[in-house]
Amino acid sequence: MKFTLSWLRDHLDFTASLDEILAKLNGIGLEVESVHNPADSLKGFRVAKILEAHRHPDADRLQVCVVAAGGGFEKVQVVCGAPNARAGLHVIFAPPGTHIPGSDITIKAGKIRGQESNGMLCSYRELALGEEADGIAELAENVVLGQAFAEYAKLDDPVIEISITPNRGDALSVRGIARDLAAAGIGRLRPWLVETVEGTFPSPVSWRIDYPEACPYVAGRLVRGVRNGPSPDWLRRRLEAIGLKPISALVDVTNYLTYDLGRPLHVFDAAKIAGGTLTLARAAGESFTALDGRDHVLGTDDLVIVDQAGVQSLAGIMGGAATGVSEETTDVFLEAALFDPVRIALTGRRLGIHSDARQRFERGVDPALVLPGLEAATRLILDLCGGVASEIVQAGEPPAWQRDAWLRFGRIAGLGGVEIAPDDAVRTLEHLGFEVLDREETRARFAVPSWRNDIAMTVTLDQAPHLDPERAETAAAEVHAIEAECDLIEEVLRLHGVDAVPPVMLPRAAMVPVATVAPGQARNGLVRRLCAARGLMETVGFSFVAHEDAALFGVATDGLRLLNPIASDLDQLRPSPLPNLVRAWQRNVARGLEGAGLFEIGPSFSPTGQTLILAGLRGGLTPRFPGVSAREATLWDAKADLEAALAALGVPGEAVSVTADAAGHYHPGRSGQVRQGPKIVLGAFGELHPAVLREMGADGPLVAFELFLDAVALPKNRRRAALVLSPFQPVRRDFAFLAGPEVEVGAVLRAARAAERGLIGEARLFDVYEGAPLEPGFRSLGVEVVLHPAHASLTDAEIEAVCAKVVAAVEKATGARLRR
């Protein structure tokens, strides 16, 4: 990013020196790449006037001139060979000792054909400022003799180039840099208010968006009766200083605002637009000639602007040659839009097109600057080229970029290693444009300004495809909050000074490579962390239990009995970790620890071999909270633990069914067995049988679950498709089905989910009711069905049609009917 010091003054009122500005830019993370001052190569050149000019006595093509160039050079004789040298002309004078950059020579006093010459009268080419070579430069009449030429020509304006990190799209504008410097204590940011231009007629050109994923919002207006031509000197000088070639006033206005405000725009020659409608659409593999004269073959994901004649612009990257403006242009159509950064980056990279517009769009532009940028461009065009402006036409809707972010003050020192007072941190963010919405002792909440789109924009998550939508939404919200807080901390540390952040050595890499973890081991670690997060404490028990305990929880054959046990009550290989958990729970309760939840991952044994089981146990009362009474653990708690573990292992709830044939150590009416298909048993859950607890001397009730880890297939190394989250609001509908005792709830849920697979994301049971006024033996099953539209919001008629399919599918599959 390049800018000049005078350009910076348009947005920043400051008295700091150039060196102070450069040091501050480096200190706040805007690393200075280079500084070039054109005046450095023009040192010594002065504004002068030729007082007398006579032909050289010994050379027909030379003249002897007497020049006045201010203090110390009131009357200097110079021999000059320029044909336009004459008395009264104001010129550029180089005294002896001046280096001539265009010729790479240094002027010395001497004699030319016998006449003394104490300097040189110069052309622009000799100053490396142009190609003029037909004589010396002719300056205006209103000059100050002896003034430095660089000052006279307004070339004493350093050009600063800084490097920009990918997240700082706002710093790709002079105003963004000025805002950062003002927040860092250099000067005061000048207010910027754009003058609104009222449209005097309807625009004959309109917008349409057929590719909203790539362009959510676009605006434009027509300016009629313009006179295109060269830009004024101030605009030309600014563009030339940063390395841009001035083209014409219409084009230069858009280039200027791209650097000044970071708002890329484009101008179409309105007379060359066919059909009166510009459409933002997907490319269809056609060829396109850009303004740079190169032909490009477009892909099917590229965003283009088309009219009836075809592609007229590669949106967000480069305009087309067919609708480019020229000196004959009289009507122009201005475009200002928002484009998807990822799609712009992919298109530009594939086609190898590098442009200022692409650089800004792929880093994110200010979403609130579309209409103000359009107004600013309109005003400049009217001032420079004349004409009248139409009303603004728009398509799409501006995205909801508004976002709040919390900052915990203690995290600044924790992440940055620098102690910064909370008031200083808040003041820093306020100077950057963050508005304080809420302030507490340990944290504050800020409204993120629109120009900091790197903080306001949504974070893209690579979530697992099988993740429960509610869980995915919760995870995404947490990640957004953490990312935003880290961004705020980065801003506070950056404005405090990057150099003030203490360096920390990275840990040395181990000399011996760490051992690899097998997939099964990684899976065990996953469910271990999950159970701990759900409030269960891990235990590590013996693989042996008492023979009597083993008989209560499965088969206790002599083949699994130890001949020489380490203790008399550890003489049998256990059929499950549950006996160990019950005994551990008893010991904890005896010592006053009530409401304990325990789990263990360990082996179990049967006559057919050894298997690995995750077992969990809950008992006692749950903790009390304000507004929440303590309650006993129920079988639904155990079922939730089991379902969470299965989901973590990649087994979605839709892929399993629950049957009422759990093992004998579970309560026969308050337990279930989880199956995947008719043969694979994944686990069981429910209340432990009262007789089992009585035999073990445990006070119940206790609820437990078992997950047979060996029965869960390891995930295959498949390439996962990108997760597609619907942008539309989910729709929830509740049903009450009247079912007989023979109807399984799982069958009802499976039938409801299968009624419309393209829309129904989940179906779950939320209520079971028995009693009056229902018929004896019947129960009412409350089922919630969630619809996830993928392409458009559902209408009432479409929702009712899906509901009818759900009712019909459940009645056909199970016989359950809708309760009236």
Side-chain angles (χ1 to χ4, degrees):
M1 171 66 189
K2 290 183 178 181
F3 61 96
T4 64
L5 205 60
S6 64
W7 199 342
L8 183 66
R9 290 187 185 277
D10 286 356
H11 297 280
L12 187 68
D13 185 7
F14 64 92
T15 58
S17 66
L18 175 62
D19 290 340
E20 290 173 330
I21 291 176
L22 298 179
K24 185 61 70 174
L25 287 172
N26 284 321
I28 62 177
L30 301 179
E31 185 178 356
V32 178
E33 293 283 337
S34 64
V35 180
H36 170 64
N37 191 350
D40 292 342
S41 62
L42 300 178
K43 290 181 178 179
F45 293 96
R46 305 161 69 97
V47 175
K49 180 179 181 180
I50 301 178
L51 301 178
E52 301 175 10
H54 307 285
R55 179 170 296 179
H56 193 289
D58 298 324
D60 294 338
R61 297 185 178 182
L62 298 179
Q63 295 190 73
V64 179
C65 303
V66 178
V67 176
F73 299 94
E74 283 76 10
K75 286 188 177 183
V76 181
Q77 180 171 302
V78 177
V79 176
C80 178
N84 62 332
R86 61 187 182 274
L89 183 65
H90 290 87
V91 294
I92 304 171
F93 171 66
T98 304
H99 180 263
I100 308 299
S103 306
D104 194 22
I105 61 173
T106 300
I107 297 299
K108 297 180 180 179
K111 290 185 177 182
I112 300 177
R113 295 287 183 94
Q115 295 292 322
E116 289 188 0
S117 181
N118 296 307
M120 179 178 179
L121 305 183
C122 303
S123 66
Y124 286 121
R125 182 181 63 81
E126 289 165 331
L127 271 64
L129 296 178
E131 296 299 325
E132 178 186 346
D134 293 335
I136 56 177
E138 300 185 12
L139 305 184
E141 295 292 331
N142 53 339
V143 298
V144 177
L145 298 183
Q147 182 184 19
F149 174 73
E151 181 182 348
Y152 161 81
K154 298 181 180 179
L155 294 175
D156 189 9
D157 194 8
V159 179
I160 305 169
E161 182 177 7
I162 61 175
S163 61
I164 303 297
T165 54
N167 67 318
R168 292 299 310 279
D170 65 299
L172 287 171
S173 67
V174 179
R175 183 158 187 83
I177 297 169
R179 185 185 297 112
D180 266 17
L181 287 172
I186 298 291
R188 179 184 61 85
L189 185 67
R190 298 180 188 271
W192 181 78
L193 297 175
V194 62
E195 179 184 351
T196 301
V197 178
E198 296 295 336
T200 58
F201 60 93
S203 172
V205 180
S206 61
W207 287 112
R208 190 177 75 191
I209 299 177
D210 290 345
Y211 195 2
E213 301 89 346
C215 178
Y217 178 57
V218 64
R221 76 187 325 167
L222 188 133
V223 182
R224 180 181 294 164
V226 300
R227 297 179 302 279
N228 196 16
S231 297
D233 288 342
W234 70 267
L235 181 54
R236 292 173 60 89
R237 283 197 301 268
R238 285 197 171 172
L239 296 181
E240 289 172 345
I242 61 175
L244 292 182
K245 180 181 179 182
I247 298 174
S248 66
L250 292 174
V251 177
D252 294 348
V253 163
T254 62
N255 289 336
Y256 170 74
L257 292 177
T258 297
Y259 277 82
D260 187 60
L261 301 176
R263 175 65 258 182
L265 303 114
H266 183 63
V267 286
F268 297 87
D269 189 326
K272 300 176 183 178
I273 299 175
T277 299
L278 292 175
T279 303
L280 289 125
R282 289 178 181 268
E286 60 265 68
S287 180
F288 162 73
T289 303
L291 284 171
D292 60 3
R294 296 168 53 194
D295 292 333
H296 304 278
V297 178
L298 306 179
T300 56
D301 286 334
D302 297 336
L303 175 65
V304 293
I305 300 177
V306 301
D307 62 5
Q308 288 185 356
V311 177
Q312 302 302 338
S313 176
L314 189 56
I317 298 178
M318 187 171 289
T323 53
V325 297
S326 64
E327 292 183 359
E328 290 76 29
T329 298
T330 58
D331 299 341
V332 295
F333 186 73
L334 267 170
E335 167 235 311
L338 294 176
F339 302 118
D340 176 61
V342 175
R343 288 179 171 86
I344 294 297
L346 292 176
T347 296
R349 184 180 303 172
R350 186 180 62 80
L351 297 177
I353 302 178
H354 301 277
S355 66
D356 292 328
R358 173 197 164 185
Q359 184 186 26
R360 284 155 180 79
F361 278 122
E362 69 184 10
R363 285 164 175 77
V365 299
D366 186 347
L369 199 58
V370 175
L371 292 181
L374 190 65
E375 296 283 10
T378 304
R379 173 47 58 195
L380 267 177
I381 289 175
L382 295 180
D383 291 344
L384 301 182
C385 305
V388 290
S390 75
E391 299 171 353
I392 294 176
V393 291
Q394 307 174 57
E397 293 292 336
W401 56 266
Q402 293 81 359
R403 183 179 179 188
D404 299 344
W406 282 96
L407 171 63
R408 292 169 289 178
F409 302 127
R411 298 282 287 171
I412 299 175
L415 290 180
V418 179
E419 293 288 347
I420 298 178
D423 289 342
D424 293 338
V426 171
R427 191 179 304 110
T428 295
L429 292 174
E430 285 181 321
H431 289 166
L432 282 173
F434 293 81
E435 180 185 356
V436 180
L437 300 178
D438 192 9
R439 173 75 185 270
E440 299 175 5
E441 183 178 355
T442 60
R443 63 176 187 166
R445 183 165 62 96
F446 298 87
V448 180
S450 61
W451 53 81
R452 288 313 302 266
N453 52 77
D454 60 313
I455 304 176
M457 68 190 303
T458 302
V459 180
T460 302
L461 293 177
D462 184 15
Q463 294 178 314
H466 62 266
L467 199 62
D468 179 77
E470 293 184 3
R471 185 179 176 190
E473 184 178 354
T474 301
E478 294 297 330
V479 169
H480 294 170
I482 294 172
E483 288 281 351
E485 183 181 46
C486 291
D487 288 333
L488 295 185
I489 293 172
E490 178 185 354
E491 291 306 294
V492 173
L493 293 173
R494 187 173 63 83
L495 270 297
H496 180 71
V498 176
D499 295 340
V501 178
V504 178
M505 294 293 294
L506 292 174
R508 180 176 296 178
M511 300 301 296
V512 180
V514 297
T516 58
V517 178
Q521 295 172 315
R523 182 177 65 177
N524 295 345
L526 175 64
V527 294
R528 181 175 287 111
R529 291 191 297 272
L530 173 74
C531 291
R534 294 182 65 83
L536 301 177
M537 293 183 291
E538 185 176 11
T539 68
V540 179
F542 288 110
S543 295
F544 318 110
V545 294
H547 175 77
E548 294 77 16
D549 290 351
L552 296 173
F553 286 85
V555 180
T557 63
D558 290 340
L560 298 176
R561 197 162 186 175
L562 303 179
L563 299 178
N564 186 23
I566 61 175
S568 59
D569 58 347
L570 297 175
D571 60 343
Q572 184 80 35
L573 288 172
R574 66 184 185 183
S576 168
L578 283 180
N580 302 70
L581 294 180
V582 173
R583 293 301 185 190
W585 184 84
Q586 288 178 289
R587 289 190 292 271
N588 279 276
V589 171
R591 288 162 176 78
L593 180 60
E594 298 181 357
L598 308 174
F599 81 96
E600 181 181 355
I601 301 176
S604 64
F605 305 88
S606 69
T608 59
Q610 174 181 324
T611 57
L612 189 66
I613 292 180
L614 164 66
L617 179 77
R618 291 182 184 271
L621 298 177
T622 61
R624 293 179 297 174
F625 295 99
V628 179
S629 302
R631 62 172 178 81
E632 291 184 343
T634 67
L635 68 96
W636 304 115
D637 297 320
K639 183 173 184 286
D641 292 335
L642 179 57
E643 288 178 341
L646 287 171
L649 296 180
V651 182
E654 297 83 2
V656 300
S657 59
V658 180
T659 59
D661 54 347
H665 52 272
Y666 288 101
H667 194 300
R670 300 175 184 174
S671 61
Q673 192 163 244
V674 178
R675 296 176 177 269
Q676 189 172 27
K679 297 182 179 180
I680 301 177
V681 178
L682 298 180
F685 67 94
E687 288 186 14
L688 293 181
H689 200 291
V692 171
L693 298 179
R694 187 168 53 252
E695 288 292 332
M696 299 185 71
D699 296 329
L702 297 178
V703 298
F705 72 92
E706 294 168 284
L707 174 57
F708 309 128
L709 292 171
D710 293 334
V712 181
L714 291 173
K716 297 182 180 179
N717 293 327
R718 295 177 178 175
R719 186 175 182 180
R720 296 185 300 174
L723 177 63
V724 179
L725 295 177
S726 173
F728 302 100
Q729 188 76 14
V731 179
R732 301 177 186 272
R733 289 293 183 269
D734 294 343
F735 300 85
F737 292 105
L738 196 62
E742 74 282 356
V743 176
E744 294 182 358
V745 174
V748 173
L749 297 179
R750 287 194 298 273
R753 280 192 292 264
E756 188 68 48
R757 295 187 183 275
L759 279 176
I760 297 178
E762 55 184 315
R764 66 178 186 87
L765 179 73
F766 69 89
D767 183 56
V768 178
Y769 175 77
E770 294 178 332
L774 302 182
E775 301 177 24
F778 283 80
R779 53 185 175 164
S780 175
L781 305 178
V783 176
E784 181 189 51
V785 174
V786 183
L787 310 180
H788 292 283
H791 304 293
S793 297
L794 298 176
T795 64
D796 290 343
E798 291 172 334
I799 295 173
E800 293 300 322
V802 175
C803 292
K805 289 183 180 180
V806 171
V807 174
V810 171
E811 185 172 357
K812 179 179 179 181
T814 66
R817 65 182 186 275
L818 190 67
R819 180 180 173 187
R820 303 296 180 183

